[in-house]
């Protein structure tokens, strides 16, 4: 059986940076070549970044993507790397955008992959299965391909597929079995969700069985707006054995030697296979010399615990949002409570303490222990800590306006928001907001107050998970012999907005241990009232919570973006009308 040394380049592209992404490809192809690779694969839409959303409709962008692909092929050959086949994702089009007046049936934008070899595009493939659920809108943007591309490399037939092709039975993987391929390369832009890695490996194994072939699965890594890509690239044999697996949340070159069946008599080009797919065959090389040196073994990285996985996802999402958008630093209000403490710790992990400004904004209702906890966290992490008392400004408002009750509470939050935005304007920081998913769900926030900011690292983190993550981060620091970043008192004390004397979250909300399971069922699980009550939740509490969630949609629509880590994040995952009289109680 021929041995093919394959390299999976788990890298971090940036949407719209065609030149930068092409440079990234060249650097990592060089690394793969130095490792003796005979085939190297990059993620879905590597050249353009992913997802490009409505950039698809700009003909200038499509043309630039196609030109960048041709230029990359020539540059790789000029680099002395032309003999190494490279699979790279990009944006293509074989006709005008489907939304244009001159659209043509069956033609339009394509989510595409190309095999580059000897300075040219040796073969191409258009994604067949287009996801149209959750955060995906690919039916809006692309037309499906109807061809299975099979490339013969070193006497092995290799099929090329893209992301969702793996998640659906039939189609390219069934066609790959009929075509007799020995390896399926699947390039991905598969966003992170908690425990998705537990789903991914069994899925790859099912597709390997369906194709009767080994699968090389390469996924991108990095943050793109509200999406985080965790990598988790892997190689699985035809009989389902996990041969190699890359780490999560870091760039990585996975190099592994695969023994693969020699190609047999080919099904003819153009012959119809499963789902009506036609085969397009290209030969790159009939034979290759055996890989030099000792066998390449990619190794297997075991997935980490849930809390570690989520923490790394949040850190990566925050770091890339700040860096890719070229913010020099971040600023946040540090109250001494658990949410702002966690955001501060995440920011320090993501950017370093020298790029994090935390501001204590005490009012007359701010407790001494909260002020002490904020100062303690600053000392533990080394971030830039400032104190800006808000009471004189609040008093000035109250001297000129007749305000009382919750309006005064909201005024304090809005004064804090004004100060943070002023520091952002003056010094160039990105303002981080700190409201968790539970608060966003029930509208427990002040619009243009504590909700103010350009990015929210904990937007998709339930309150009960905030506590778990804080405890994990401190324990991880102890394990590594470092100072835990979050004061224990911030974790242990009852949560409070501290906007009125003796105020606690529990004055307005059910305990979070009661609240979060209801919210998870309603928001993530789409359970109605009857389903929630049937699951054992108190009917009166359910009615109260659902009313709060439904009436807070207008606040969530204005909320800052933040990294998605759950199966259904607020925003693109969950799209409900603001003006909506439907209620679960009828």
């Amino acid at each position: 059986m021929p041995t093919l040394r394959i390299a999976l380049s788990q890298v971090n592209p940036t949407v719209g940076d065609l030149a930068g992404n092409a440079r990234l490809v060249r650097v990592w192809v060089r690394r793969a070549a130095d490792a003796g690779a005979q085939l190297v694969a990059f993620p879905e839409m590597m050249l353009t970044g992913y997802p490009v959303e409505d950039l698809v409709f700009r003909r200038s962008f499509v043309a630039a993507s196609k030109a960048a692909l041709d230029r990359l092929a020539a540059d790789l050959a000029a680099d002395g790397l032309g003999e190494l086949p490279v699979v790279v994702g990009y944006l293509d089009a074989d006709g005008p955008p489907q939304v244009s007046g001159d659209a043509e049936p069956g033609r339009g934008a394509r989510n595409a992959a190309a095999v580059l070899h000897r300075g040219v595009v040796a073969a191409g493939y258009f994604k067949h299965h287009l996801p149209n659920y959750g955060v995906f809108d690919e039916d809006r943007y692309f037309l499906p391909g109807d061809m299975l591309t099979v490339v013969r490399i070193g006497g092995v037939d290799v099929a090329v597929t893209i992301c969702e092709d793996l998640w659906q039975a039939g189609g390219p993987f069934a066609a790959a079995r009929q075509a007799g391929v020995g390896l399926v390369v699947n390039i991905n832009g598969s966003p992170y969700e908690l425990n998705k890695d537990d789903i991914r490996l069994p899925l790859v194994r099912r597709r390997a069985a369906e194709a009767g072939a080994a699968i090389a699965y390469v996924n991108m890594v990095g943050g793109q707006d509200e999406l985080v890509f965790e990598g988790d690239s892997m190689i699985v044999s035809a009989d389902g054995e996990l041969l190699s697996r890359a780490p999560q949340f870091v760039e990585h070159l996975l190099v592994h030697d695969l023994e693969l069946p020699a190609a047999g008599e080919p099904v003819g080009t153009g012959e119809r296979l499963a789902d009506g797919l036609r085969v397009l065959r290209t030969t790159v090389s009939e034979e290759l010399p055996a890989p030099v040196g000792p066998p390449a073994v990619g190794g297997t990285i075991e997935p980490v615990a849930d809390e570690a996985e989520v923490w790394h996802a949040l850190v990566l999402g925050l770091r890339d949002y700040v860096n890719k958008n070229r913010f020099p630093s971040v600023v946040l209000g540090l109250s001494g409570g658990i949410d702002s403490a966690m955001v501060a710790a995440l920011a320090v992990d993501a950017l370093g303490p020298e790029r994090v400004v935390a501001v204590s904004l005490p009012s007359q209702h701010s407790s001494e222990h909260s002020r002490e906890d904020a100062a303690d966290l600053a000392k533990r992490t080394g971030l830039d800590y400032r104190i800006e008392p808000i009471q004189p400004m609040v008093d000035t408002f109250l001297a000129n306006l007749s305000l009382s009750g919750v309006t005064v509470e909201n005024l304090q939050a809005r004064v804090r928001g004004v100060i943070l935005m002023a520091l952002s304007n003056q010094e160039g920081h990105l303002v981080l907001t700190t409201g968790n998913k539970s608060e966003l769900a029930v509208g427990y926030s002040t619009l243009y107050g504590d909700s103010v900011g350009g990015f929210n690292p904990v937007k998709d983190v339930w309150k009960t998970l905030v506590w778990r993550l804080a405890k994990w981060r401190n324990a991880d620091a102890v394990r590594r012999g470092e100072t835990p970043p979050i004061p224990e008192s911030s974790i242990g004390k009852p949560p409070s907005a501290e906007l009125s004397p003796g105020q606690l979250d529990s004055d307005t909300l059910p305990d979070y241990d009661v609240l979060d399971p209801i919210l998870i069922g309603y928001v993530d699980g789409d359970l109605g009232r009857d389903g929630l009550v049937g699951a054992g939740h108190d009917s009166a509490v359910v009615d109260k919570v659902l009313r709060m969630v439904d009436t807070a949609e207008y606040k969530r629509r204005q909320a800052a973006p933040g990294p998605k880590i759950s199966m259904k994040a607020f925003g693109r995952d969950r799209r409900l009308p603001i003006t909506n009289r439907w209620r679960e109680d009828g």
Side-chain angles (χ1 to χ4, degrees):
M1 296 176 71
T3 297
L4 191 65
R5 181 167 294 177
I6 185 167
L8 303 183
S9 297
Q10 179 176 292
V11 295
N12 187 350
T14 299
V15 167
D17 187 7
L18 276 67
N21 295 337
R23 285 193 298 271
L24 201 59
V25 171
R26 292 169 70 182
V27 167
W28 285 77
V29 170
R30 171 61 66 190
R31 293 180 184 177
D34 290 346
Q38 297 165 312
L39 171 65
V40 57
F42 288 85
E44 179 177 11
M45 297 192 81
M46 173 70 207
L47 266 186
T48 59
Y50 181 83
V52 296
E53 300 182 328
D54 282 12
L55 286 173
V56 166
F57 300 138
R58 295 192 190 177
R59 301 187 195 202
S60 59
F61 186 68
V62 176
S65 171
K66 296 167 72 173
L69 182 74
D70 292 335
R71 194 159 50 245
L72 174 61
D75 287 344
L76 288 170
D79 292 341
L81 301 168
E83 292 300 318
L84 175 55
V86 176
V87 181
V88 62
Y90 73 107
L91 171 63
D92 202 341
D94 56 4
Q98 287 295 298
V99 296
S100 64
D102 57 348
E104 303 173 26
R107 295 182 178 275
R110 306 284 189 166
N111 185 333
V115 180
L116 309 182
H117 186 242
R118 293 183 178 173
V120 298
V121 177
Y125 172 77
F126 294 154
K127 188 174 183 178
H128 178 66
H129 289 303
L130 301 177
N132 207 54
Y133 54 85
V135 300
F136 302 107
D137 294 306
E138 294 209 357
D139 270 347
R140 169 182 169 87
Y141 297 121
F142 304 115
L143 291 177
D146 61 358
M147 189 82 70
L148 178 72
T149 296
V150 177
V151 182
R152 184 161 294 184
I153 301 171
V156 175
D157 280 347
V158 180
V160 177
T161 60
I162 302 176
C163 202
E164 186 72 12
D165 293 335
L166 181 89
W167 290 81
Q168 305 290 334
F173 282 83
R177 173 181 282 274
Q178 292 176 275
V181 307
L183 173 67
V184 180
V185 173
N186 182 250
I187 65 173
N188 289 264
S190 179
Y192 170 77
E193 293 172 10
L194 178 59
N195 297 324
K196 194 173 186 179
D197 55 330
D198 296 334
I199 300 171
R200 189 176 283 128
L201 176 57
L203 177 71
V204 174
R205 284 172 166 156
R206 289 199 298 274
R207 293 292 90 80
E210 184 176 18
I215 295 179
Y217 170 101
V218 59
N219 192 22
M220 69 175 59
V221 66
Q224 169 58 31
D225 293 345
E226 295 190 289
L227 301 182
V228 179
F229 301 92
E230 88 271 33
D232 195 32
S233 304
M234 67 184 77
I235 299 174
V236 170
S237 69
D239 60 5
E241 180 185 359
L242 177 64
L243 301 176
S244 187
R245 192 171 195 171
Q248 296 172 291
F249 307 111
V250 294
E251 291 189 310
H252 183 79
L253 185 70
L254 189 156
V255 182
H256 192 84
D257 285 354
L258 275 173
E259 286 192 357
L260 297 167
E265 286 297 317
V267 176
T269 287
E271 184 168 334
R272 295 279 180 178
L273 301 177
D275 282 8
L277 291 171
R278 294 173 294 139
V279 178
L280 176 64
R281 292 185 176 272
T282 302
T283 297
V284 166
S285 57
E286 287 290 356
E287 293 184 5
L288 284 174
V292 299
V297 179
T300 301
I301 304 297
E302 292 300 322
V304 298
D306 287 355
E307 290 82 5
E309 186 178 292
V310 170
W311 188 274
H312 294 319
L314 297 175
V315 166
L316 179 58
L318 172 57
R319 179 188 298 128
D320 273 4
Y321 190 87
V322 172
N323 289 341
K324 289 182 178 181
N325 287 292
R326 297 176 178 170
F327 288 100
S329 51
V330 297
V331 63
L332 68 142
L334 188 61
S335 68
I338 184 60
D339 296 318
S340 64
M342 180 169 151
V343 170
L346 284 166
V348 169
D349 281 3
L351 306 170
E354 69 281 356
R355 297 177 67 190
V356 181
V357 178
V359 187
S360 173
L361 300 156
S363 73
Q364 63 179 344
H365 303 302
S366 300
S367 63
E368 189 62 32
H369 65 77
S370 289
R371 301 184 197 199
E372 292 173 352
D373 290 342
D376 187 16
L377 183 141
K379 183 178 179 181
R380 289 164 179 261
T381 60
L383 53 72
D384 181 351
Y385 181 60
R386 308 178 191 178
I387 302 174
E388 297 287 349
I390 68 167
Q391 197 59 47
M393 291 173 249
V394 172
D395 290 341
T396 300
F397 273 99
L398 295 177
N400 290 277
L401 290 170
S402 179
L403 305 175
S404 62
V406 70
T407 306
V408 177
E409 296 181 21
N410 290 340
L411 174 61
Q412 296 168 65
R414 290 185 174 120
V415 167
R416 289 175 172 136
V418 167
I419 293 172
L420 292 173
M421 288 307 302
L423 288 172
S424 171
N425 292 155
Q426 185 70 25
E427 301 176 5
H429 314 296
L430 170 68
V431 178
L432 301 182
T433 185
T434 61
N436 61 68
K437 190 175 184 178
S438 306
E439 293 172 348
L440 287 170
V442 297
Y444 192 64
S445 64
T446 300
L447 207 57
Y448 320 122
D450 53 306
S451 66
V452 75
F455 195 73
N456 183 355
V458 294
K459 179 181 182 179
D460 198 29
V461 184
W462 299 111
K463 181 74 168 191
T464 47
L465 180 54
V466 168
W467 277 310
R468 283 169 47 201
L469 290 170
K471 292 174 182 177
W472 172 84
R473 180 61 182 86
N474 278 2
D476 186 61
V478 171
R479 180 182 61 81
R480 292 186 291 171
E482 300 171 356
T483 301
I486 302 173
E488 285 298 324
S489 52
S490 290
I491 299 173
K493 64 187 174 187
S496 170
E498 294 193 335
L499 297 173
S500 61
Q503 184 182 49
L504 296 173
D505 288 9
S506 56
D507 298 338
T508 305
L509 304 175
D511 287 341
Y512 287 105
D513 286 341
V514 174
L515 176 63
D516 276 4
I518 296 173
L519 294 174
I520 291 169
Y522 189 49
V523 174
D524 288 356
D526 283 322
L527 287 178
R529 180 187 186 276
D530 292 345
L532 292 165
V533 173
H537 301 294
D538 179 83
S539 59
V541 176
V542 168
D543 288 340
K544 175 182 177 180
V545 171
L546 267 53
R547 279 195 302 273
M548 297 176 79
V549 174
D550 292 344
T551 56
E553 187 62 36
Y554 76 102
K555 288 187 177 182
R556 288 190 293 273
R557 193 69 67 90
Q558 300 177 65
K564 167 184 165 64
I565 57 102
S566 74
M567 65 183 295
K568 186 171 287 188
F570 289 127
R572 289 168 53 168
D573 261 343
R574 186 178 188 267
R575 309 175 197 184
L576 291 174
I578 296 173
T579 305
N580 172 22
R581 290 189 177 180
W582 168 254
R583 296 294 180 262
E584 279 296 322
D585 60 4

